[in-house]
Structures are given as C-alpha cells and as structure tokens.
Amino acid sequence: MERLTAIVTNINSYVWGLYCLIPLLCGTGLYFTLRLKFVQIRRFNIAWKNTFGGLNLFGERAGKDGMSSFQALATAIAAQVGTGNLAGAATAIASGGPGAIFWMWIAAFFGMSTIFAEAVLAQTFKGKDASGQVVGGPAYYISKGLGSKFLAGFFAIAIIIALGCVGNMVQSNSIADAIHNAFPSISRLHIGIVVAILGGFIFFGGLGRIASVTEKVVPIMAGLFLLGGLYIIVTHLSQIGPMFKMIFEGAFNPAAATGGLIGATVKESIRYGVARGLFSNEAGMGSTPHAHAVANVKHPADQGFVAIMGVFVDTFLVLNMTAFVIFVTGALPIGAAGNNGVVLKGIALTQKAFELGLGSWGLPFIAVCMFFFAFSTIVGWYFFAEQNIRYLFGPKGLLPFRVLVMIFIVYGSVMTLDLVWELTDFFNGLMVFPNLIALIGLSKLVSKSLNEYDEQNRLKA
C-alpha cells in the first residue's frame, strides 16, 4: 500500500506541477480572459446583481425542470467551499510561503473567465434524461458539442470515482477528525454513520432536496466562518499592513518574507499557490458546470455571470479569510516554535490560528465549520457524480450509486487516507484534460453567447 501511495504521489507531483495542469489551467483562463475581453471585470457588476439580487434561503422548490439560478450557485459553492478552504490555504502558506496567496489570487482571477465558459456551455448543451430530469455538464457538452462520446465517457467515469466515491471518503474523514479532536468522546465510526444517514436523506430526496439544503446551508456556513474570521482580523488590525507586505514580498522572495522560516523558492510559491487555488475554486476542472446546467435562466450568459461569483466567494472571501487569520495571529512562526521547529501544515495550522484568535472557542469553532464545509461538499460532489451516473446508466443507476456513496462515507470516516487523498487528486487531474479540450474546442460558442447577451441588452437599453 505504501508503495502504491508513493507511485500515485509521484504521478500527481507531475500532473499538478508547473509543467502540466497548472500552465494548462492558467493558460485556459488567460485565453478566455483575453477572448472575452476581461469579462470578469467588465461584467462584475452584473454578476453581483444576478447573484445576490436573487438570494433567498427559501426559494421555490426545485424539480425536474431544474432549480433557480441562486440554488444552482449555492450547489456549486457547496462543492467549491470545502475542506480545501480550511486546509488548502494553510498548506500553500506552509509549503510555498506567504507569497503563495498572491499566486492564488492570480489563478482565481483568470479562473473566473474559465468558469464563465463552463457555465455557458453547460447551459447551451443541457437536456433531459429518460425520467424527464434536466441534466447537463461536461459529459453532455463534450458529447453533443465536440461529438466525442469517448472523451465524454472518460470524463464521466473519472468524476464519479474522484468526487462521488474516493472524494467523499476524504470529506467524511475530515469531518470525523475535526469533531473527534474537539470532542474525543465521540467515535469516528459513529460520526461517519450519522454523516452517511444525513447524506442519504438528501441524496434520496432528489434535486429538490439538494437545492433546498444548499440554498440554506451555504449562506449560513459562509457567513458564520467569515464573521469568526472578521472578528479575529478586527482584533489584530495592527497586523494588516505587515500581512500584505509578507504576501507581496513573499510572492517574489519567499525566504525574505518569513526570515528563512520556510525554505520555499519562488517556483514553490507559484506551484503551491496556483495548485491549491485551482483545486479549491475548481475552475476548469469540470465539476461546477453540473450545477449551473440545471439553473432556470433566460440566457446561458446569465448563469455564466453567476458562476463568476462562485470563484469570487470561494477564493477572495472564504480562502482569503483563512489565510488572513493565519497571518494576523502569527500562527505560522508560533506553530513552528511550539512544534519542535516543524512548521504546522493543513488543518493543524488553521486550528492553531483560530485557537490563537478565539481562545478556547477556536477548536470547536473550526470543528463546526469543518462539518458544514465538508458536508456541503459531500452534497455538491454527490450531485455532480449523479449527473454522470444519469449520463452513463440513466435513472436506473441512481439507487445503487446512492447506497454505494453512503458506504464510502462511513468507511472514509475510520480509515487512514493518504492513498485516497492522492487518488482523489489523480482522478481530479484526469477530469481536467477532456474538459479543457472541450472548452477550447467550443470557445467560439462561448464568445458568441456573450456577444448575443451584450447585443440583446444593448437593444433593451
């Protein structure tokens, strides 16, 4: 098992390195940013209005014809805002230095245009399955748009394994660890069983229950986390200036920014910042288009604008809040000094930061946030995988898949997940290739859709 883990880890270091997916994803984002004339800037006001103008925690129940635009965004954000927002930023900082956050910003900026393209294509090529349920996502725009059933099938299999199965094991394990660490009397197995039952209740409720849960949970969990983080920042205002100095200095001189605490190079700062940022906001990975496909909107570009806000919320609000709390509390050097000189990474560094900022409330606060973040990701990832089960097997494949996911959730809560983490990264990487091929191949349709939208609204004005 250790040998297999080492092999997959080595493969991932290349796939998610500076010479493969990072330049491909960033290059695609740059391409669409230029082709769409900086749509993420030009139409940011429309994206904000389309998103928050329709915010409603008790919207109309979703059904076979789809869900509201905000419900679709909430489902997408449910998947985007997960354990990566608590652990991913901390890992990037500990491995790549403070400057990694700067490169996260760069990746997210370009990712906004990529995710716009994904949402537009998902809306353009959505359809209905044998039961009359609205379906869509990369498998559909790859098969209908590119005309490649092979690539569509390849993508569908990769995302079912990456998100629906092994990915949800990682999420349930994160929940079990966080709750067990904060409340040791509660066993990981019992936590896993409860999470599986809650998940099953939502899975078997179909699209209506998924939308109903995400539209309520996502704003509440994001608001709770942001308020907790904002309190810490307000009580450490004197550290805001030094924090931004560390970030910008660290982007180009990591050693100087930390006084040699982290022996990162500029290359490592870019690698960890961009990789963790892309992994968190999922722009270009082909996951969130499944949610945007089922939104009820008048024009595909409408949902494209909403998708832009998904990356904004994930990276520039939630992910930044984690990073800022780590910086202003001094958790990075304190964590190293109190840990025999070893720099804390991942969720341990985030927990240390919130413990420093909130005192005894820090650990239970992160445990609660971890539960909501990871559980919402389970719901979102299940839905994305379900869309591909429908693509491959139709509605008849849903029952066994739902049961299988519940089993994976329970199993994941009690096992050591080094290999599963690596497999999740690997299959996530496999998803990206056919999706990017489709995005570039169908880019004319994306440009045409945006131009049509602009022309229609110009005539109305």
Side-chain angles (χ1 to χ4, degrees), residues 98 151 163 167 174-175 193 195 208-209 262 271 286 293 314 373 387-388 415 442 449:
L151 283 180
L163 303 189
S174 298
I175 292 174
I193 292 172
V195 172
R209 193 168 293 165
I262 296 174
R271 176 194 167 188
D314 173 85
F373 280 30
Q387 293 290 81
N388 289 276
M415 68 176 297
L442 301 172
S449 181

Side-chain angles (χ1 to χ4, degrees), residues 197-448:
I197 292 172
L198 289 174
F201 174 75
I202 297 170
F203 304 158
F204 281 92
L207 186 65
R209 193 168 293 165
I210 290 172
S212 180
V213 169
T214 57
E215 73 176 347
K216 297 175 182 63
V217 170
V218 168
I220 292 173
M221 75 174 189
L224 174 68
F225 180 73
L226 292 174
L227 282 175
L230 189 60
Y231 169 80
I232 295 174
I233 289 174
V234 169
T235 56
H236 293 76
L237 284 177
S238 62
Q239 298 302 312
I240 297 296
M243 175 188 75
F244 281 107
K245 180 182 178 182
M246 286 178 66
I247 291 173
F248 287 107
E249 185 177 36
F252 305 99
N253 191 353
T258 60
L261 175 66
I262 296 174
T265 62
V266 174
K267 179 179 176 181
E268 288 169 326
S269 181
I270 296 173
R271 176 194 167 188
Y272 285 104
V274 174
R276 288 297 100 187
L278 290 170
F279 198 77
S280 176
N281 63 53
E282 302 184 24
M285 288 175 58
S287 52
T288 60
H290 299 94
H292 296 302
V294 300
N296 291 315
V297 291
K298 295 180 180 179
H299 192 280
D302 282 319
Q303 196 59 27
F305 299 135
V306 171
I308 286 174
M309 293 308 300
V311 174
F312 178 80
V313 170
D314 173 85
T315 301
F316 292 104
L317 293 184
V318 180
L319 202 68
N320 266 357
M321 187 60 75
T322 302
F324 290 175
V325 169
I326 290 172
F327 290 135
V328 300
T329 58
L332 195 61
I334 291 173
N339 199 41
N340 297 322
V342 178
V343 178
L344 294 176
K345 294 185 179 182
I347 193 62
L349 179 56
T350 303
Q351 286 175 323
K352 171 60 71 175
F354 276 85
E355 188 177 4
L356 290 168
L358 297 177
S360 60
W361 288 95
L363 283 179
F365 178 80
I366 287 299
V368 171
C369 289
M370 178 65 82
F371 172 80
F372 280 111
F373 280 30
F375 184 73
S376 69
T377 299
I378 287 174
V379 174
W381 281 1
Y382 162 79
F383 176 71
F384 299 162
E386 179 193 279
Q387 293 290 81
N388 289 276
I389 290 291
R390 289 179 181 273
Y391 175 79
L392 293 174
F393 307 109
K396 65 180 181 294
L398 295 181
L399 176 60
F401 179 65
R402 287 166 177 167
V403 174
L404 185 65
V405 173
M406 292 174 68
I407 293 172
F408 273 107
I409 289 172
V410 175
Y411 188 48
S413 67
V414 297
M415 68 176 297
T416 302
L417 289 181
D418 288 347
L419 177 59
V420 179
W421 266 111
E422 294 299 334
L423 287 174
T424 302
D425 284 356
F426 175 70
F427 283 105
N428 271 326
L430 292 185
M431 288 161 45
V432 174
F433 293 107
N435 187 53
L436 292 187
I437 290 171
L439 290 178
I440 299 299
L442 301 172
S443 59
K444 287 184 179 179
L445 291 177
V446 179
S447 293
K448 181 180 178 182

Side-chain angles (χ1 to χ4, degrees), residues 5-29:
T5 302
I7 292 173
V8 180
T9 300
N10 287 334
I11 294 174
N12 285 338
S13 66
Y14 174 77
V15 172
W16 285 100
L18 285 175
Y19 305 105
C20 192
L21 285 184
I22 286 179
L24 286 176
L25 284 164
C26 289
T28 300

Side-chain angles (χ1 to χ4, degrees), residues 37 42-43 46 450-461:
K37 301 174 183 177
R42 290 191 302 116
R43 296 292 178 261
I46 295 177
L450 180 58
N451 291 336
E452 285 177 352
Y453 177 91
D454 288 342
E455 186 61 32
Q456 288 175 13
N457 284 274
R458 195 176 297 117
L459 292 174
K460 291 178 182 178

